[in-house]
Structures are given as structure tokens and as C-alpha cells.
Amino acid sequence: MRRLKQMKRTRLRLPRRPDYPRTGRHGLRRWVPSWRLAAGSFLTFTATLTAVVTIAYARTDIPEDLNAFATQQDTVYYWADGTPLARTGWVSRQEMPLSKIPDDVRWAVLAAENADFYSDHGISAQGITRALWRTAGEGDTQGGSTITQQYVKNVYLSQDQSFSRKFTEMLLAVKLDRHVSKDKILEEYLNTSWFGRGTYGLQRAAQAYYGKEVTQLDASEGAFLASLLKGASLYDPAVSPRNRERAVERWRWTLDRMVQIGRLSPAERARYTTFPEPKPPHRPNSTAGQDGYLVQLAESYAKRAGHISDARFDLGGYQIYTTFEKPRMTALARAVQDARDTLDPERRKADRHVRFGASSVAPDGRILAVYGGPDFERQAFDESNAGTVPAGSAFTPFVYAAALEYGVARRRNGPRTVVTPSTVYDADDGIPVRTPEGPYWDRSGKTVKGHNDGDRSYGRISLHDAMAKAADSPFLQLGMDAGLKQVRRTAEASGLLPSSFGPPVPAFSMGNSTPSAIRMADAYGMFAAHGMHTDPYSVGKVTHNGEPVRLDLPRAKRAVRSAVADAVTAALARPTGQGAATSASPVAAKAGTTEDDTARWYVGYDRAASTAVVVYRMDLAKSLAPLPLKGLGGGSAAGRKLPSRIWNTYTEAMTK
């Protein structure tokens, strides 16, 4: 009996099953839950939902990795005058600090997208309700997002329109709002949003639509750009007349909204009555033609001088201000093309595979212009920066300078004697090269002899006259007398790279080294700078998102005494009236040929620039070995003088 009572008491403590459907009720009332059941179900659902959201929030971390498009930017290159040269990168985006974005532009975006941004907690209850209503009732998952949510979607999540993605978006938005300042969120949002025309961020949008920096925008222009956030394909006026109607309507609404929220006075609003018509879309800058060679040179130098790793550079965001001058680039490319037009590769074998390398460098080292090849997109091999062919007799000014700087020694380890421009040497063709021990023999057992172009003999003449008349044989002997070590030292101090130097044999003085056109122009520029040399550089300033990047720019160093450099210039000076020479701007120049006729040079300079031009033949598809130039241009004098023709055409164009 006692056990039965205990079992009844235990049974009374068991949970009761919900009375649903309700007993004792009939019809519709049987299915209407009691207030207790409804309240209990609601509390249970609320508690469960709260627990799920709390656990999900706790387990949701702000991702460390951002979407590729959110971090990558383009890099912009500028001409020396500050105008855009080219743009590289997968996306067109450049970050801009919020402090540099005008308040009117910032609030135009906020008025259009999220006026309560600074007071919300990353999400908007009203917006969420509206989004859920649209999702459930209309099948539309758009709408209801705060700026924080839009930023989260831009940089952390995919563009997938699912409920789970929306739920994650809201959790991240709340967490981000608690851990990151509002200004930082807004700054990143304005720098990562899509504005159409291939642009991300307000800075690139300002340039694409108005051709100006974001710092120069006013409230009216900002109101139009804000409309693009709703969908650039729907609001870009250049797309269609209907787009323009939408854009104007949205522009007016945004300005009126700014007045409503107290961010634009009625008087200021009254000033903006005309729609700020954006510019038509322009062709994106490319690296075709000569521009690609410039970008290649500038990128390489910016990385090296700015100590920027490849991985960091690839993220973009750099503004690279080059030393290249557009008028010079245009004139040099035209001069080369004019010379190329005189060739006939279809009819003459000697006119095939002809290559032109050219460069113009200021005496202070700035690379002003280059000709790298016919088109960078078809040939990335830069002929202006390639050390592929010997310098030939264009190298002899460095032999002359070395002898003037260090003197000569007639006996091994003997005392050195001073050399002057008046020092006399034998300039006959075929004169054997002598050492203190006697004639110099090559490895094949033949006596090494000096030769002049055209096998011409000049007799005994001064070094000044030998240089002026392009008599080469004296400089083969002069190099041995001065010492090849001193010649090499002078050439290196002038800017030629040791990696381009040929073997230390008598032919070293005759240019068995293979410098690039850039290096030859720079080295001759040392004479124009009265013996001071500055390594060539192609970038004068680099910034990253507007902030300066420290560059290790080259400094001028003394290569030879001023009197030595001026003596070389005096020997190379062209008569007034010849080519581009004038009394106010004297020109010094030297032609260069090689013994096997595989390269022809012309290098000259004035006070403004030193320019080197080289012509050679090379079939890159088969070998890097230079081909003979015999028969170039039909074997005419014009064919032999192609380098000087290019040099004169270019220099005269720049003089005019």
C-alpha cells in the first residue's frame, strides 16, 4: 500500500504533455492554443534563438585574410611632368585616407547609404526587418544593409545571396563595430566599394568620372558618385539615356537628403542646380608600344631603390613618378621609325632582324627617353637596356680620358708621364701594338695591330686630332701605355657596368665590352657634366597611397678631373651649324664601329642630354649572337649612317 502511494506521488512529479490539441474543446477552439502555451512557446523559441545567436557570435572571428579585390590596388606611373603614363594591376583601386576625403563627399555617401552610420551598432533593426520581409514576401534578398554590413560583404564574404551568408554578415558587422572605429570602417568602405568603369574606391572613381583627385570633389560630384553604389551599371550616364535619368534623380535626392540630416545648408543646396556631368569613359592606360619599356624600367628601379619586395609590389597602391619626358619619347620613337622605314626586309636579307636601341639621359642621371623595341606587347626584350653588342670605337673616349687622368708608363712599373691633348701618337693603319717587352702577340701567334675605319692612315698626329678625326689606331696603343686597369677604372667610374666589360686584352680599348644604350648615354653624360657622374635612374619619387616611400637615389661622384672631361668634349665637338649644334649649345659626338661590323653606334651630348643610338642585327628566335651589318640599307652610305641619322633627327626635333 505504501509502495503504491509512493508511485502515485512520483507519477505526479512527471512533466505533463502539452494539452494540444486542447481536450474538452470542439471545432476551431480545439486548435487555438491557450495563452499559457503560446507564451511558453514564444519564450522557448526566444531563449533558443538567443542561445544560438550567442554561441554563433562567440565562435565568429573577424577573418585575417581579406578578399583579393579588397586588398589589391593598381599602380600608376606618371611622366616627368606629372601626367599619367600607364596603370598596371588587376584592379583599378587606390586607397585614400579618410582625412583627405572632403566632408561633403563623405556625407553624400552616408546620406545616400546609411545616415545613421555613426549611431548604429553595425546593423539596423529596421533594415533587417525590411530585408526579411522582402526575402520572405518578394523573394528579394537585397536591401537592409548598413555600411558596416556592406563593407563586411565587400572584403570578407562572397557575393552569394543566401540566408546563411546574410546571417554571417550581420554577426561580423556587429563584432567589427565593437572592435574597429567608425572612421576606420568608413574609410575602408570608401576604398573598397565598386564604382564602375573598372574602379574600386572613391579616389579611382573621382579620376575615372571627373578626371580629378578625390580631394578636389565637391558635394554635388560626391552625390553623383554616391549613386553609383546602388549599381554602377544602372547609374553611369554614359551607358544609356535612361541611366542618366536615374542618376539625375538619385543625385537630387541625395543632396536633399543631406539637407534633411543637417549636413548641407539650404543655401549650399541651392548652389547645385546643374547635374555634374561626368567625363565619357576613356581607354584604359596600357603598356603597349613604348610605354611598356618605360614601365618595365621604372618598376625595376622603384623596387630596387625603394627596397620593395615583389610580393608587396604586386599588391599595388603605388604612385611612381618617372623621369621620362613625353616630348622626348615621341621624338625618339619617330626618329627611329623614320630610319626603319628606309629598310626593305622583304627584298633585302641584310635588312631583316634589324634592331634599334636608343636612350637619352640627362647629365644628372635622369633617363629622359628610351627606344626599347617596336612594341612591348610583341617584344618585351628591351633593346635600350640590353648589353648584347660591343661598343666598338665608341669606347675610345674613355681610353683618352684615362690617359689624360693618369698619364702613361713607357716601361713596366716605370714612372708615369703626363699626357695632354697635344701628345703625339702614330695614327697609321696597321701599326703593331707594343709592350715594354716588344710587340704584343695574340694566342694564335699573330701580332696585334691597330686599324682605322676604311684602312686610312693619318701619320703622326696629336691625340686631340686623332679623337676628332676618328683615327682609332693610336688609342689601341694608348690603352696599353695608360694601362688597361686604368682604362677599366675610368670606364667604370663613368658609369659602364663591370659586368659588361670584355677581357683585359688590347681589344679592350677598342670596345670589346657590351654596354647598353642607357649606360653609354649615361657614361658620355659624364663628359657633359664636367667629370661628375651620376648613375642613371628612371624614378624620382614613389608614394604608396599618397605616403612617400624612401628612395635611395644616386648621388653625383667625381669620375675624372673637370679639365680631362672638357678636353674630351673639345675633341668630340661638332662644328657649329652641323646637326643640332649652336654656339649656345655645343654638341659633342662620336660614331662607333666594330671590327667585325656587327654594331654601329652614335653617341653625342649637349648641356641638356646625352643620347646613344645603336643599330645591330639579331635573330632572337635563334640566338643572341649579333649578325653582320654588311649590306644594310642596300649597302649605301645612308645605311651605314643610320645611327647618326636617328641621333640628328631626334636632337633637331628637341632643339626646335
Side-chain angles (χ1 to χ4, degrees), residues 356-361 369-371 382-389 496 514-524 601-603 610-614 616:
F356 301 85
S359 177
S360 195
V361 181
V370 300
Y371 181 87
D382 186 351
E383 293 163 2
S384 73
N385 198 33
T388 52
V389 293
L496 300 188
T514 57
S516 66
I518 291 176
R519 284 288 170 173
M520 279 294 276
D522 176 65
Y524 268 66
W601 290 81
Y602 200 83
V603 191
S610 172
T611 303
V613 180
V614 60
Y616 60 100

Side-chain angles (χ1 to χ4, degrees), residues 197-210:
R197 296 192 182 182
T199 63
Y200 287 83
L202 263 177
Q203 169 68 354
R204 282 288 173 264
Q207 294 171 340
Y209 289 92
Y210 291 110

Side-chain angles (χ1 to χ4, degrees), residues 305-375:
H307 306 284
I308 306 170
S309 67
D310 289 342
R312 182 168 181 175
F313 191 86
D314 286 345
L315 292 176
Y318 292 93
Q319 299 79 51
I320 299 178
Y321 298 86
T322 73
T323 60
F324 307 126
E325 297 182 358
K326 191 172 185 178
R328 287 187 176 274
M329 279 295 304
T330 302
L332 187 57
R334 184 175 294 127
V336 174
Q337 188 58 49
D338 288 347
R340 192 186 291 275
D341 289 342
T342 65
L343 303 178
D344 189 355
E346 297 295 329
R347 296 177 52 195
R348 293 191 292 261
K349 184 178 179 180
D351 287 356
R352 299 170 190 168
H353 310 300
V354 179
R355 307 199 173 276
F356 301 85
S359 177
S360 195
V361 181
D364 61 6
R366 289 174 294 120
I367 302 176
L368 305 176
V370 300
Y371 181 87
D375 189 316

Side-chain angles (χ1 to χ4, degrees), residues 170-436:
M170 289 187 290
L171 293 177
L172 280 174
V174 174
K175 181 157 284 191
L176 195 70
D177 187 79
R178 292 188 59 189
H179 292 86
V180 180
S181 71
K182 286 287 189 179
D183 280 351
K184 185 62 177 176
I185 293 173
L186 181 59
E187 176 183 291
E188 293 301 319
Y189 170 75
L190 295 177
N191 281 319
T192 55
S193 294
W194 169 251
F195 285 87
R197 296 192 182 182
T199 63
Y200 287 83
L202 263 177
Q203 169 68 354
R204 282 288 173 264
Q207 294 171 340
Y209 289 92
Y210 291 110
K212 60 177 69 174
E213 302 291 298
V214 67
T215 56
Q216 300 171 306
L217 295 177
D218 58 27
S220 178
E221 294 162 334
F224 163 70
L225 294 180
S227 70
L228 298 171
L229 294 168
K230 286 295 182 186
S233 61
L234 297 175
Y235 290 91
D236 185 348
V239 174
S240 69
R242 181 70 185 99
N243 269 25
R244 189 181 185 282
E245 293 175 10
R246 277 191 290 260
V248 172
E249 182 181 353
R250 183 71 177 176
W251 165 75
R252 289 173 179 156
W253 179 88
T254 300
L255 290 174
D256 292 341
R257 178 67 172 153
M258 290 178 70
V259 175
Q260 291 176 11
I261 64 175
R263 293 298 172 175
L264 191 68
S265 69
E268 290 175 311
R269 171 65 182 92
R271 289 167 44 199
Y272 303 123
T273 57
T274 304
F275 178 66
E277 207 72 51
K279 294 168 44 181
H282 66 280
R283 183 181 63 85
N285 291 322
S286 71
T287 55
Q290 294 300 305
D291 291 355
Y293 302 110
L294 303 183
V295 167
Q296 187 180 61
L297 286 171
E299 177 183 327
S300 176
Y301 190 84
K303 288 179 182 177
R304 185 170 67 254
H307 306 284
I308 306 170
S309 67
D310 289 342
R312 182 168 181 175
F313 191 86
D314 286 345
L315 292 176
Y318 292 93
Q319 299 79 51
I320 299 178
Y321 298 86
T322 73
T323 60
F324 307 126
E325 297 182 358
K326 191 172 185 178
R328 287 187 176 274
M329 279 295 304
T330 302
L332 187 57
R334 184 175 294 127
V336 174
Q337 188 58 49
D338 288 347
R340 192 186 291 275
D341 289 342
T342 65
L343 303 178
D344 189 355
E346 297 295 329
R347 296 177 52 195
R348 293 191 292 261
K349 184 178 179 180
D351 287 356
R352 299 170 190 168
H353 310 300
V354 179
R355 307 199 173 276
F356 301 85
S359 177
S360 195
V361 181
D364 61 6
R366 289 174 294 120
I367 302 176
L368 305 176
V370 300
Y371 181 87
D375 189 316
F376 182 79
E377 291 189 345
R378 290 191 286 116
Q379 176 194 296
F381 177 74
D382 186 351
E383 293 163 2
S384 73
N385 198 33
T388 52
V389 293
S393 56
F395 187 84
T396 55
F398 305 111
V399 181
Y400 185 30
L404 295 175
E405 181 77 9
Y406 300 106
V408 299
R410 301 295 182 181
R411 300 190 308 274
R412 186 181 294 277
N413 298 323
R416 287 188 169 267
T417 59
V418 175
V419 172
T420 70
S422 300
T423 300
V424 175
Y425 265 71
D426 193 338
D428 280 344
D429 186 69
I431 294 295
V433 175
R434 301 189 64 83
T435 69

Side-chain angles (χ1 to χ4, degrees), residues 404-603:
L404 295 175
E405 181 77 9
Y406 300 106
V408 299
R410 301 295 182 181
R411 300 190 308 274
R412 186 181 294 277
N413 298 323
R416 287 188 169 267
T417 59
V418 175
V419 172
T420 70
S422 300
T423 300
V424 175
Y425 265 71
D426 193 338
D428 280 344
D429 186 69
I431 294 295
V433 175
R434 301 189 64 83
T435 69
E437 291 77 19
Y440 186 94
W441 307 84
D442 63 18
R443 291 185 177 181
S444 64
K446 294 181 180 180
T447 302
V448 175
K449 299 179 180 181
H451 294 281
N452 297 318
D453 191 23
D455 300 331
R456 183 179 176 183
S457 291
Y458 295 86
R460 293 184 63 79
I461 61 175
S462 69
L463 290 175
H464 172 91
D465 289 345
M467 180 61 65
K469 296 178 179 180
D472 298 330
S473 61
F475 296 101
L476 193 65
Q477 182 63 55
L478 184 64
M480 298 300 291
D481 295 343
L484 297 181
K485 182 178 180 181
Q486 304 302 333
V487 174
R488 179 187 173 105
R489 178 181 175 183
T490 302
E492 184 175 348
S494 300
L496 300 188
L497 296 175
S499 59
S500 71
F501 289 155
V505 296
F508 186 80
S509 296
M510 286 294 102
N512 64 7
S513 302
T514 57
S516 66
I518 291 176
R519 284 288 170 173
M520 279 294 276
D522 176 65
Y524 268 66
M526 178 273 293
F527 299 126
H530 307 289
M532 297 297 293
H533 170 255
T534 306
D535 274 335
Y537 63 99
S538 56
V539 176
K541 184 177 76 170
V542 174
T543 59
H544 185 257
N545 297 327
E547 297 299 321
V549 175
R550 186 178 68 84
L551 292 181
D552 292 335
L553 294 178
R555 296 181 180 180
K557 297 180 181 179
R558 173 66 63 183
V560 297
R561 288 177 288 117
S562 178
V564 170
D566 294 345
V568 174
T569 297
L572 297 178
R574 290 168 31 152
T576 301
Q578 187 180 105
T582 65
S583 58
S585 180
V587 171
K590 177 77 172 74
T593 57
T594 60
E595 188 175 0
D596 56 2
D597 194 25
T598 56
R600 296 173 189 171
W601 290 81
Y602 200 83
V603 191

